[in-house]
Amino acid sequence: MFSLNRLHGCGIITNYDCSAACAHCAYCSSPKWPRENMTRELATDLFRFLKRNGCASVHIGGGEPLLRPDKLFPVLEAAVETGIGIDYVETNAAWHKTPERTATVLRSLRERSVDTLLISMDPFHNAFIPFRQVKDLMRSCHENGMQVFAWKEAFFDEMEAMGDEVPHDLTEWASLFGGGSISGLIRRYGLGLKGRALETFRPYLVQVPLEDILRDAGPCTELAGAYHFHLDLHGQFIPQSCQGLSVHYQDAVRGALVSEYPVFARLHEGGIGLLLDHARETYGFVPDAKYAGKCDLCWAIRRYLALDRGLDLPDLQPHGHYLHVDSKS
Ligand code: SF4
Ligand code: SF4
């Protein structure tokens, strides 16, 4: 039975919708998601749960959490009330329009104990957000007492070289820095190839025969990684390395049974081979001859169950993860 003892390194997903639809987004966020935000009541429950289980602070992410600042503020207030610290709020900077409005938002964040923004700075986000907007937000932060860390600053010079007035997609990036610059982003960014990132980078990955994948794959211990996990606006626990899989947050420590979580628990207890057997026997899944590793096979099975078979399983949540993996869908 899957269950965790002690939690740390939690991210709170306040909303899945986003102004961007980045090619590397493991959460498959995009403007296509419903405009739903975490409620204050759920946030309070989640923060109390985290405190009970040894987690004293969180970071806030999405989706773009500052798309609707007024919907984020109650979550921050719940954190203050329950004694949970906010390490930082992640943002893509797209909401920054004028220095005056941004100053107001930053002041409101500081009043709610937020003192640091993580601002995205990389070629994926640059496909949607002009670099000038990112730099202008950083300047506003400095002027308004908000600390910043840019993720990743190592891309700064290349972003400048691309030009900062308009967005530039990965094709433009490759034409300026060479074809290998795209596949090189996997290592430079330290990408976990899940969700949309897997779709984007699959053409660059080695295809492995199915038998070899099954021979080498044991139980997925990755599901029990309790560092840098996420809790979302539906009260779901999402493991660090396996987006698109989840259990209700209370079951993450209480225990997740195969009878309740047929996909998640099989992967945890037996690994991809056990899930494949189940998908074949119960749902008629037919695997390909090769995949780009066990997680690619896992993704193919889960996508088949969620979309081709239309199953709304409790551990394949949020369903939008599968619906919106393609940035255009
Ligand atoms: S990675 Fe891109 S699409 Fe995903 S949440 Fe961040 S800004 Fe939005
Ligand atoms: S096979 Fe599935 S459960 Fe296992 S590590 Fe990969 S994505 Fe996670």
Side-chain angles (χ1 to χ4, degrees):
M1 182 170 74
F2 171 86
S3 73
L4 299 170
N5 294 324
R6 193 170 173 81
L7 304 174
H8 51 109
C10 178
I12 297 291
I13 296 177
T14 54
N15 54 297
Y16 281 107
D17 61 323
C18 187
S19 53
C22 300
H24 73 313
C25 189
Y27 295 89
C28 303
S29 288
S30 80
K32 300 286 184 184
W33 285 73
R35 304 176 103 218
E36 293 174 338
N37 278 74
M38 181 176 285
T39 64
R40 184 189 190 114
E41 292 70 28
L42 177 62
T44 300
D45 290 346
L46 295 180
F47 292 144
R48 286 184 179 144
F49 164 81
L50 288 170
K51 275 195 96 169
R52 282 198 304 278
N53 289 283
C55 189
S57 66
V58 299
H59 63 274
I60 304 283
E64 169 51 53
L66 282 162
L67 264 185
R68 296 175 291 280
D70 56 318
K71 301 288 187 189
L72 172 62
F73 295 155
V75 173
L76 301 175
E77 289 159 10
V80 172
E81 280 171 15
T82 51
I84 288 282
I86 303 292
D87 299 326
Y88 55 87
V89 175
E90 298 176 355
T91 184
N92 65 16
W95 56 278
H96 169 66
K97 304 293 183 199
T98 67
E100 295 75 22
R101 176 177 179 270
T102 295
T104 302
V105 172
L106 294 176
R107 194 164 48 248
S108 299
L109 290 171
R110 290 185 61 203
E111 286 167 2
R112 292 163 176 83
S113 296
V114 174
D115 62 13
T116 304
L117 294 191
L118 179 157
I119 302 181
S120 300
M121 181 190 291
D122 57 65
F124 303 109
H125 290 84
N126 194 220
F128 298 89
I129 301 135
F131 191 38
R132 173 165 296 282
Q133 206 167 347
V134 174
K135 291 186 292 184
D136 286 351
L137 174 59
M138 291 173 73
R139 186 178 308 112
S140 283
C141 286
H142 293 314
E143 290 169 358
N144 289 280
M146 180 67 73
Q147 298 177 60
V148 166
F149 73 93
W151 189 257
K152 292 191 160 200
E153 201 150 1
F155 288 112
F156 188 99
D157 291 344
E158 289 154 83
M159 309 279 288
E160 282 286 77
M162 294 287 290
D164 67 3
E165 294 296 336
V166 295
H168 301 280
D169 64 22
L170 289 177
T171 315
E172 291 177 75
W173 184 268
S175 58
L176 191 60
F177 297 112
S181 63
I182 303 262
S183 57
L185 289 171
I186 299 174
R187 178 188 52 78
R188 291 184 66 199
Y189 200 92
L191 279 175
L193 295 179
K194 305 289 160 57
R196 194 179 296 135
L198 178 58
E199 294 291 301
T200 299
F201 287 98
R202 186 181 292 107
Y204 301 97
L205 304 177
V206 176
Q207 293 287 312
V208 181
L210 179 65
E211 315 79 80
D212 294 356
I213 293 171
L214 296 176
R215 189 185 56 233
D216 297 339
C220 286
T221 53
E222 295 90 335
L223 289 167
Y227 181 74
H228 209 104
F229 66 96
H230 286 79
L231 301 178
D232 77 2
L233 60 151
H234 307 298
Q236 293 288 111
F237 166 92
I238 299 158
Q240 174 186 5
S241 304
C242 309
Q243 293 83 4
L245 284 160
S246 61
V247 298
H248 187 267
Y249 74 94
Q250 288 172 335
D251 292 335
V253 295
R254 197 166 51 199
L257 301 165
V258 167
S259 56
E260 294 169 282
Y261 298 105
V263 177
F264 194 109
R266 277 185 174 82
L267 286 163
H268 179 253
E269 289 173 16
I272 190 65
L274 192 60
L275 178 63
L276 177 60
D277 290 345
H278 177 63
R280 273 174 154 152
E281 289 160 16
T282 312
Y283 298 109
F285 176 77
V286 179
D288 292 340
K290 293 183 175 182
Y291 288 93
K294 71 170 184 175
C295 298
D296 192 23
L297 170 58
C298 183
W299 168 254
I301 296 171
R302 290 188 275 122
R303 189 172 176 164
Y304 171 81
L305 298 178
L307 298 185
D308 297 356
R309 297 302 303 259
L311 300 176
D312 193 17
L313 297 174
D315 39 8
L316 298 189
Q317 300 298 327
H319 190 65
H321 182 85
Y322 299 92
L323 279 180
H324 303 305
V325 62
D326 182 340
S327 58
K328 297 178 189 64
S329 61

